[in-house]
Structure formats: C-alpha cells, structure tokens
Amino acid sequence: MSAGVLAGTAEVLLTYPIESNKIKAQLPHGLYAKLRAQEVARGDISFFSRRHYRGCGTMVIGNAAKTAVRFGVYDILSKKLQDKDGYVSPPASLAAGLFAGFLESVILVPFELAKVRQISSLEEDPRKNGTINSFRRIIQLHGPLGLFYGFLPTLLRQGATSAVRFTSFNTIRQMASGFIDPGDHLSNTGQTQIDLLASYIAIVSTMPIDVTKTRMETLSGRIATGGSNIKCVYQIFNNEGFSKFFSGTAARLLRATVSSLVMFSL
C-alpha cells in the first residue's frame, strides 16, 4: 500500500500541470480568460510554471488517502465476493467498485474542493492560496459543512469511474485470458495495457459528471447555481452547449496515459 502511495505521489507531481489545465478548460469562458490573462501578464506560460502547480500539495494529500481507500476496500470486498475458484463475477465487481468509490469520495471531497478553488482563484499571492488557507477560507465562507460542497457529483464521478474501470478491466482481462495457454498468465505489459484501456472507457463515460463537479466546486459556480446540481447542468447545456460537457477530455486521457506509464515504470 505504501508503495502505491509513493508511486501515486510521483505521478501527481509529474502530471499535475495536465490536471490544472483540465480544470481550467472546464471553467466558464470568462473566468478562464481572466486566469489566462494573469498567466500571460506574469510570464507564467511554461507548462511546468509555478502557477500550474497551484493546489498540487492539496492533491498529493488527497491522492494518498484516495489510493489507500480505493484499493484497500476493493481488494477486501473482491476477496469476500469471489467464488470457490477465485472468480469475481461482473456484478460483484461492479458492487465492490461502487462501494470503494463511495468511500473514496467521502475522503476526497474536501481536497478536490480546495484544489479547484486554488486553481480557479484570481488571488495573486501564493501565501493566501495555499492548502491550509484554502480550507480556512472555505470554512469562513460556508461553514464546516462547506468542505463537502460538490459531494454528489464527486460521489457520482468516483463511483462511476471505479465501477466502470474495474468492471471493464476484469471483463477485458478475462477475455484476454482466453487467448493464452492454460496455466500461463498475462504479462505485466499486457496488464498495463488492459488497465489503460479500462481507464479510457471510464474517463469518456464520466466526462459530463466531471465537468459538472468542477463547476459546482468553484465559488462562482456555487453562487450562480445556488448549490443545485440540476441547475448547473442546465446552465452549462443552455449557455455553452453539449460539447462543454466533454471539455478537458484530451487532458484527462493524456494524464491517464502518463500516469499509467509512471506507475508501470515504478
């Protein structure tokens, strides 16, 4: 588990600029334009510039907690649900993935909220936009329960992503096992390729939820919708069109690819 957390931390540090650009692409055009103007004015246009690492510390902490919960809970449930031959049926895999995703969401929500607020903030002073100050600011504005704003879309995204990813992975792996000799096992490269394909399927299928989640976690989005997820979906569709629900898809797919390569190399 500790090795997974360390690998996850290395992956976050390497791919965070991709995550930052994904979040910005999902913001309303007006806010994105203001953030971009600040970057140009300060000369922070390099891919690995300091500004593109806003919220990285928050994500590192959240990622460590998320990794421990996701794989720990899923492994425990999978062992409980497997039959006498060690086979886990797709419905059982789906149920385990959904429950693991639910617990993951509960832990992750405050960190995701703080990260999005940091990335979307127009505050220039980095000392006022750090992890601790972000949490403090959220509590001042919304109270302690404000740390869980965006819980529903986060829950839906994490649960759906885990369910689709694990189910797709198990289904594809079992199909691939039919093409190898009895007693042989899939290579590490084959396992990585299957995991990456399963990640792609999960990403594309959950993009509308991801965009809604980002909007609901920004301060402006919270104010504009009054905290209504349905109103948020309607505003995005009515004002920006259906295609907006898939903004940031390329960045999310790229991050999944780089993450997979990093995890495999480590």
Side-chain angles (χ1 to χ4, degrees):
M1 186 69 71
S2 59
V5 172
L6 290 174
T9 299
E11 176 264 327
V12 168
L13 293 175
L14 180 62
T15 65
Y16 193 77
I18 303 174
E19 172 71 9
S20 179
N21 279 282
K22 185 211 74 171
I23 296 294
K24 292 171 186 175
Q26 295 174 341
L27 297 174
H29 178 72
L31 179 56
Y32 173 77
K34 291 179 181 179
L35 290 170
R36 184 59 180 169
Q38 282 188 343
E39 292 172 359
V40 173
R42 293 175 61 90
D44 291 334
I45 56 177
S46 169
F47 185 75
F48 289 103
S49 69
R50 180 177 179 180
R51 192 179 184 89
H52 288 162
Y53 275 89
R54 275 189 173 187
C56 184
T58 303
M59 190 171 179
V60 166
I61 299 172
N63 185 74
K66 178 184 73 172
T67 300
V69 171
R70 179 201 296 169
F71 290 103
V73 172
Y74 183 79
D75 285 345
I76 292 173
L77 291 178
S78 294
K79 291 178 181 178
K80 296 288 185 180
L81 296 172
Q82 66 186 13
D83 59 22
K84 60 182 180 180
D85 297 320
Y87 174 75
V88 181
S89 67
S93 179
L94 175 63
L98 282 171
F99 190 73
F102 172 77
L103 293 183
E104 179 183 340
S105 297
V106 175
I107 298 296
L108 192 61
V109 169
F111 298 100
E112 283 285 315
L113 175 63
K115 179 195 72 177
V116 171
R117 290 287 177 94
Q118 288 172 271
I119 292 174
S120 63
S121 174
L122 294 171
E123 174 60 59
E124 294 278 7
D125 190 347
R127 293 172 298 178
K128 297 180 181 180
N129 202 33
T131 302
I132 295 177
N133 283 332
S134 294
F135 282 125
R136 183 184 295 121
R137 177 65 172 165
I138 291 169
I139 294 174
Q140 288 175 344
L141 289 173
H142 313 294
L145 291 179
L147 291 172
F148 289 91
Y149 281 167
F151 174 77
L152 181 58
T154 301
L155 171 64
L156 292 175
R157 189 198 69 171
Q158 296 304 123
T161 298
S162 294
V164 173
R165 180 180 178 182
F166 283 121
T167 302
S168 298
F169 178 82
N170 282 333
T171 301
I172 298 171
R173 182 178 61 181
Q174 289 166 8
M175 291 174 60
S177 297
F179 294 93
I180 61 177
D181 296 329
D184 289 342
H185 299 282
L186 289 171
S187 65
N188 289 336
T189 301
Q191 295 269 14
T192 300
Q193 292 172 341
I194 293 173
D195 181 62
L196 187 57
L197 179 57
S199 297
Y200 287 163
I201 295 172
I203 286 170
V204 174
S205 62
T206 59
M207 279 309 302
I209 304 175
D210 190 57
V211 173
T212 302
K213 167 193 162 298
T214 296
R215 289 296 184 87
M216 289 299 295
E217 289 174 336
T218 62
L219 180 58
S220 60
R222 186 74 189 180
I223 295 173
T225 62
S228 171
N229 292 289
I230 296 176
K231 187 175 182 179
C232 179
V233 171
Y234 172 77
Q235 287 182 350
I236 294 173
F237 180 77
N238 188 58
N239 298 333
E240 300 168 80
F242 181 75
S243 62
K244 187 64 180 181
F245 287 111
F246 291 89
S247 58
T249 300
R252 202 172 167 202
L253 290 172
L254 176 60
R255 181 167 182 256
T257 303
V258 176
S259 298
S260 180
L261 292 174
V262 170
M263 293 296 190
F264 180 74
S265 63
L266 293 177

